[in-house]
Amino acid sequence: MAPSAVCEYVPMHLPVMSKASSINASVLHGPRDLRLERRTIEEPGFGELQIAVKTTGICGSDVSYYKKFANGDLCACMPLSLGHESSGVVVALGPQASGFSIGDRVALEVGVACGQCTICRKGRYNLCKKMRFRSSAKSVPHYQGTLQERINHPAIWCHKLPDDISFDAAALLEPLSVGIHAVNRASPTPGSTALVLGAGTVGLLTAAMARQAGYTQVTITDVDQGRVDYVISKGFATHGYVVPRPLHTSSSSSIFTNSNSSSSSSTPLDGIATPSSTLPFRSSLDSAKTLAADMLALTQNPILDSDDEDIGVDVTFECTGKEVCMHTALYATRPGGKVIMVGMGTPIQTLPLSVAHLREIDILGIFRYANTYATGIRMLCNQRKSGAGFTLPSLDDMVTHRFKGLENAKGAFELASRTSDDEGNLVLKVVIEA
């Protein structure tokens, strides 16, 4: 009898499906329509880390989305998780996510550039046209923010943290990066003077970075007395100026009235006004010039500032995004100085450009930041080391209110849109902690 054939069983290798799990996420569906939802998260992909988010700070752009479902010209067209000032812990590693271990504490740089275009190769990846930025409606589908229990994020945009940097301070590395980038763009020289308009989180940290860079005088201004007092008491700036609130905010002559009915053409500093110039706009410029003079008088030195033609600060950092503040910035800057546009607000502005033109004032824009996180982490590491020179004030102290859990996100956003809480305490930085 012929031997029978032996059939050997060979197992079939099917593609391995990634394991998905369910997480909580805070999701915005419309103006003030914030919902706690369950979402599915896959295992981290190639080059990704899965991060358990520990702290997320609420930014002004987050508040704008929360209130209007839009931020400037960017309108959300689908549900969006907010949050981009974040830190957390690595809980899973994707393939080729080298250099990290489970349990590592990290700060998240949430703008993910393509890394391939000419701009990225030049190192200015913040200007990449293919940039996806968490919690922003610029890309479609929207790149979801960090107000989720866990997210998968590219390892190259995660920055390891020493144990002595808190999760709250690490989350504030994001706005600190804006300040670092703004001062880098200004290219300061030793002994320079600076004016910072706006004492929000970015304004405070920009002022601190100006001091770190060697500016001898840094004046910060705001309409809120509590914020200015905080800045000076904590050493973020050397001088503070509280802008008087107008008695009648509807007055067309007030520089605080950000009216869109202004003329489409500017009024020159000297010479004949263009025919389309209007009295309200001219009055607004006069008010801005007066306010700038009052701010400069705070630090004026009768010996060093005896030349009336050279009065002003070397650099003005405009951190509000308001048209009226840009007017003030131009008048407060000395001939040959610089105005750095930090705040993003009014997208179309009417400015007295002849002020900059005739006095050779450089107007420089900044957009987010690039190559700043390592610098910020080093600064936080040196906070507790004594020595000569300026030391960055505590970022933990900037957190005035903490909310536990994503289920309390709505209350956090409502409070973040105010300058004081129900007890009259200063509201500066609101964070949501896991």
Side-chain angles (χ1 to χ4, degrees):
M1 185 175 180
S4 61
V6 178
C7 295
E8 184 178 348
Y9 174 75
V10 179
M12 182 179 296
H13 295 283
L14 296 175
V16 178
M17 301 301 293
S18 63
K19 296 178 181 178
S21 56
S22 185
I23 60 169
N24 283 327
S26 177
V27 185
L28 187 69
H29 286 259
R32 286 190 156 89
D33 183 8
L34 198 61
R35 309 175 193 176
L36 186 65
E37 298 180 351
R38 297 294 288 175
R39 281 183 170 177
T40 299
I41 184 171
E42 303 289 339
E43 289 187 336
F46 185 87
E48 288 185 333
L49 304 175
Q50 188 165 114
I51 309 297
V53 180
K54 294 298 184 181
T55 294
T56 295
I58 297 179
C59 173
S61 63
D62 292 323
V63 173
S64 179
Y65 278 117
Y66 172 73
K67 286 181 169 182
K68 301 179 291 186
F69 210 44
N71 180 39
D73 290 336
L74 300 177
C75 299
C77 59
M78 60 185 61
L80 176 65
S81 282
L82 298 174
H84 56 265
E85 302 176 358
S86 298
S87 59
V89 174
V90 177
V91 294
L93 307 171
Q96 299 300 311
S98 59
F100 291 88
S101 302
I102 292 176
D104 282 346
R105 305 166 72 254
V106 294
L108 301 176
E109 187 170 353
V110 298
V112 178
C114 76
Q116 304 297 321
C117 67
T118 301
I119 291 175
C120 284
R121 292 199 300 271
K122 288 180 178 178
R124 303 187 71 173
Y125 58 83
N126 56 313
L127 306 179
C128 174
K129 289 186 177 181
K130 296 179 181 178
M131 165 76 74
R132 294 185 304 142
F133 195 87
R134 289 192 182 272
S135 77
S136 171
K138 186 174 182 180
S139 58
V140 179
H142 304 331
Y143 197 22
Q144 298 298 305
T146 57
L147 284 178
Q148 307 179 71
E149 285 181 328
R150 284 175 280 138
I151 62 171
N152 293 329
H153 199 66
I156 60 172
W157 301 112
C158 297
H159 303 271
K160 285 186 182 180
L161 296 170
D163 290 338
D164 59 349
I165 296 179
S166 71
F167 286 121
D168 288 357
L172 292 185
L173 280 167
E174 202 276 341
L176 178 64
S177 287
V178 177
I180 294 171
H181 188 55
V183 173
N184 286 344
R185 289 276 284 155
S187 301
T189 56
S192 296
T193 58
L195 173 66
V196 179
L197 300 179
T201 301
V202 168
L204 264 70
L205 295 174
T206 299
M209 289 303 95
R211 293 202 65 190
Q212 181 83 41
Y215 286 76
T216 54
Q217 291 179 351
V218 179
T219 302
I220 196 164
T221 71
D222 200 273
V223 296
D224 188 86
Q225 178 78 55
R227 292 195 174 208
V228 174
D229 290 345
Y230 176 88
V231 172
I232 300 305
S233 66
K234 298 297 183 180
F236 286 89
T238 60
H239 299 79
Y241 181 90
V242 180
V243 179
R245 294 180 184 269
L247 294 177
H248 304 286
T249 56
S250 61
S251 170
S252 60
S253 63
S254 169
I255 76 157
F256 304 104
T257 302
N258 193 7
S259 172
N260 291 326
S261 61
S262 301
S263 164
S264 60
S265 57
S266 61
T267 304
L269 178 66
D270 299 303
I272 301 174
T274 55
S276 60
S277 296
T278 61
L279 183 59
F281 182 64
R282 182 187 293 274
S283 180
S284 177
L285 295 183
D286 290 340
S287 297
K289 186 185 294 187
T290 299
L291 181 59
D294 291 343
M295 293 175 178
L296 296 176
L298 187 66
T299 57
Q300 206 160 350
N301 186 303
I303 297 176
L304 299 178
D305 300 318
S306 59
D307 186 355
D308 291 341
E309 298 300 319
D310 193 34
I311 292 177
V313 295
D314 296 299
V315 181
T316 299
F317 297 94
E318 204 299 288
C319 298
T320 71
K322 300 293 185 181
E323 177 182 284
V324 291
C325 293
M326 271 300 294
H327 297 169
T328 306
L330 289 170
Y331 287 121
T333 305
R334 73 168 71 251
K338 298 175 183 177
V339 172
I340 312 298
M341 299 175 64
V342 183
M344 292 185 65
T346 310
I348 300 176
Q349 301 185 14
T350 302
L351 303 177
L353 284 181
S354 59
V355 177
H357 191 178
L358 299 176
R359 300 165 69 211
E360 291 194 356
I361 295 174
D362 296 340
I363 301 176
L364 300 177
I366 75 151
F367 185 61
R368 295 175 183 151
Y369 42 80
N371 309 301
T372 54
Y373 266 71
T375 299
I377 291 172
R378 284 195 295 269
M379 288 180 179
L380 294 186
C381 289
N382 290 328
Q383 277 182 315
R384 297 173 180 83
K385 296 180 181 179
S386 60
F390 174 79
T391 300
L392 179 67
S394 170
L395 299 194
D396 290 286
D397 289 347
M398 290 180 62
V399 180
T400 56
H401 296 79
R402 294 173 171 86
F403 287 75
K404 291 287 186 180
L406 295 175
E407 65 274 13
N408 294 310
K410 187 174 180 65
F413 276 95
E414 289 292 340
L415 184 60
S417 63
R418 301 164 56 183
T419 58
S420 61
D421 61 19
D422 292 338
E423 286 73 42
N425 299 313
L426 173 70
V427 175
L428 184 58
K429 174 55 68 173
V430 178
V431 302
I432 300 173
E433 299 177 333

